[in-house]
Amino acid sequence: MDTGSTAWMLASTALVCLMVPGLALFYGGMVAAKSVLNMIMMTFGAVALVGCIWVVYGYSASFGDSIGGAGILGDVTEYFGLGGVMKDDPKAVIPLSVFVAFQALFAALTAALICGAISDRIKFGAWMAFTGIWVTLVYLPVAHWVFAFDGKNVTGGWIVNKLGAIDFAGGTAVHINSGAAALAVILVLGKRIGWRKEGAQERPHNLPLVMLGAGLLWFGWFGFNGGSALTSSNAASVVVLNTFTATCSAMLGWLLVEKLRDGHPTSLGAASGAIAGLVAITPSCGAVSPVGALVLGAIGGGVCALAVGLKYKFGYDDSLDVVGIHLVGGVTGTLLVGVLATSDAPNGVDGLLYGGGLSLLGKQAVGAFAVLAYSFAITWLIAKALDKTMGLRVRPEAEREGVDVHLHAESAYDLTHTPAPAPAPQPAAAG
């Protein structure tokens, strides 16, 4: 057992856990004041539910031996209830238990990302039901395709092993997956009341909260990407460096687009650009050089800044730009592996610009669009079934007055507090 690598994985797991409040604050600051608690609750609720599913059958379905050797789904019974993961394996580099915890947070955060697209208008109970079904039918198979490597007497997923596509930390399984799912749910759920007519509902109510959330996500992302190396090594160090540099250039790329398009850079654009860079570098952080990371980040930030406007052109109400950032950024970063990858990086593969030809780019495209198509189709069916049975959408009055009060009987800010009356004056003492 490598104690250094074990310590790194424990630290990385803690870093990724910090992304939960980071995402909640990032999303919470971007919605209206009357919806912020609901957004935070959807984030934390998804994490709690997925964490329970992961223990019972989620890890086994994602990382168990592939059923029939097909590379589609892991054996749900192999680690059912996480039996056996506490045993000490002297041949392992890190304990299995820390890997299980690390990957549990990947699953939980992927599901939580979706809620940013559907703010202000979905029932909390319907969201929780959707999360449980979606993780089971969509995330677990896709995670098996992308993250489950072949081992001794063990068959893993088809994308990573048979296709040979590169996805270091989840560009397909996390970002394309959640972005495609978000688009599908949006189309079933419909637009917010007054979308594009009542402009106030589209303005973030607390930009410092958004910036704080983005900063926490950036911090936690070092564990998200760096921990995916699974060892305390040069590979993890290169990944951390690439993650930082791509995020910096993506922020500048987004701000440049804003300046040229709108005449002014914004704090919301800086926060969104940082997240776009983190999304784009996630699949490629082990495949590119630091200069490649700068180029990839700048492209990712600029492309995502342009992509968020597509919702106005095509008429889908993506509340917090999950499609524009996570779907588009995930596809961009995944495809650019096939162009910018260098064999000097930890993944050890050359892309188009380094003489590798079109082969890797083709593999990246197949992996990306297979996940996109599967996630979108199955998610649309799940959302449609739930809408027909329990109903997805809150009542119109709840949407207008605020889902915080109607769904949770709480308000984030006490704006109606009446100060206590001043004490009555006392009579002067005699003499």
Side-chain angles (χ1 to χ4, degrees), residues 12-409:
S12 293
T13 302
L15 284 169
V16 178
C17 194
L18 191 63
M19 294 173 71
V20 177
L23 182 65
L25 295 177
F26 179 70
Y27 278 173
M30 283 198 284
V31 298
K34 62 184 180 180
S35 306
V36 57
L37 289 180
N38 176 250
M39 180 53 59
I40 292 172
M41 281 288 289
M42 285 201 290
T43 302
F44 276 84
V47 171
L49 178 59
V50 175
C52 294
I53 290 173
W54 196 252
V55 171
V56 180
Y57 61 86
Y59 176 77
S60 193
S62 293
F63 292 95
D65 189 13
S66 190
I67 297 173
I72 303 299
L73 185 69
D75 183 356
V76 178
T77 65
E78 185 173 352
Y79 296 101
F80 190 82
L82 295 184
V85 302
M86 294 186 293
K87 294 180 180 178
D88 187 10
D89 182 358
K91 297 180 181 179
V93 176
I94 61 172
L96 180 58
S97 54
V98 71
F99 178 74
V100 172
F102 182 70
Q103 284 293 333
L105 285 160
F106 274 57
L109 284 163
T110 303
L113 286 172
I114 301 169
C115 70
I118 51 177
S119 69
D120 306 300
R121 59 200 191 273
I122 190 170
K123 300 175 183 175
F124 185 72
W127 163 247
M128 294 297 285
F130 168 83
T131 298
I133 298 170
W134 184 84
V135 165
T136 301
L137 299 183
V138 180
Y139 181 81
L140 300 183
V142 171
H144 185 73
W145 301 353
V146 175
F147 292 145
F149 285 87
D150 288 344
K152 186 178 181 180
N153 301 320
V154 175
T155 303
W158 71 273
I159 287 181
V160 66
N161 298 296
K162 296 179 181 178
L163 178 63
I166 292 174
D167 186 354
F168 196 88
T172 53
V174 176
H175 299 293
I176 294 176
N177 198 3
S178 60
L183 180 59
V185 179
I186 291 167
L187 297 180
V188 174
L189 191 61
K191 306 177 184 71
R192 288 168 289 178
I193 294 174
W195 181 60
R196 301 196 67 185
K197 297 176 182 176
E198 301 169 10
Q201 71 170 347
E202 296 180 50
R203 292 200 297 268
H205 89 283
N206 192 326
L207 285 169
L209 210 63
V210 175
M211 296 294 282
L212 175 61
L216 290 174
L217 286 169
W218 192 349
F219 182 68
W221 225 293
F222 291 123
F224 195 91
N225 286 357
S228 295
L230 302 182
T231 60
S232 178
S233 61
N234 178 67
S237 303
V238 172
V239 164
V240 167
L241 174 62
N242 284 342
T243 298
F244 176 71
T245 55
T247 308
C248 293
S249 63
M251 189 188 305
L252 297 179
W254 188 298
L255 292 176
L256 178 61
V257 169
E258 278 194 329
K259 176 64 177 177
L260 295 175
R261 181 186 60 196
D262 308 322
H264 45 262
T266 67
S267 60
L268 179 61
S272 299
I275 302 305
L278 290 163
V279 170
I281 197 61
T282 292
S284 53
C285 52
V288 300
S289 67
V291 171
L294 284 176
V295 173
L296 185 145
I299 294 172
V303 168
C304 289
L306 296 171
V308 296
L310 294 176
K311 62 184 180 182
Y312 301 115
K313 181 177 181 180
F314 294 107
Y316 58 90
D317 184 7
D318 178 12
S319 304
L320 308 183
D321 299 320
V322 178
V323 176
I325 293 176
H326 293 277
L327 177 57
V328 174
V331 170
T332 300
T334 300
L335 294 181
L336 284 177
V337 171
V339 179
L340 298 172
T342 171
S343 56
D344 292 336
N347 281 127
V349 180
D350 283 324
L352 183 61
L353 291 183
Y354 289 83
L358 292 170
S359 175
L360 181 58
L361 180 59
K363 294 175 182 179
Q364 297 300 113
V366 171
F369 290 105
V371 171
L372 193 162
Y374 177 81
S375 181
F376 179 86
I378 303 301
T379 304
W380 189 90
L381 292 173
I382 294 169
K384 202 69 176 178
L386 287 174
D387 194 39
K388 293 294 185 182
T389 52
M390 66 186 302
L392 291 178
R393 191 145 186 163
V394 298
R395 298 189 306 273
E397 58 269 25
E399 191 173 338
R400 291 191 180 95
E401 295 169 13
V403 287
D404 283 0
V405 171
H406 279 263
L407 296 181
H408 308 292

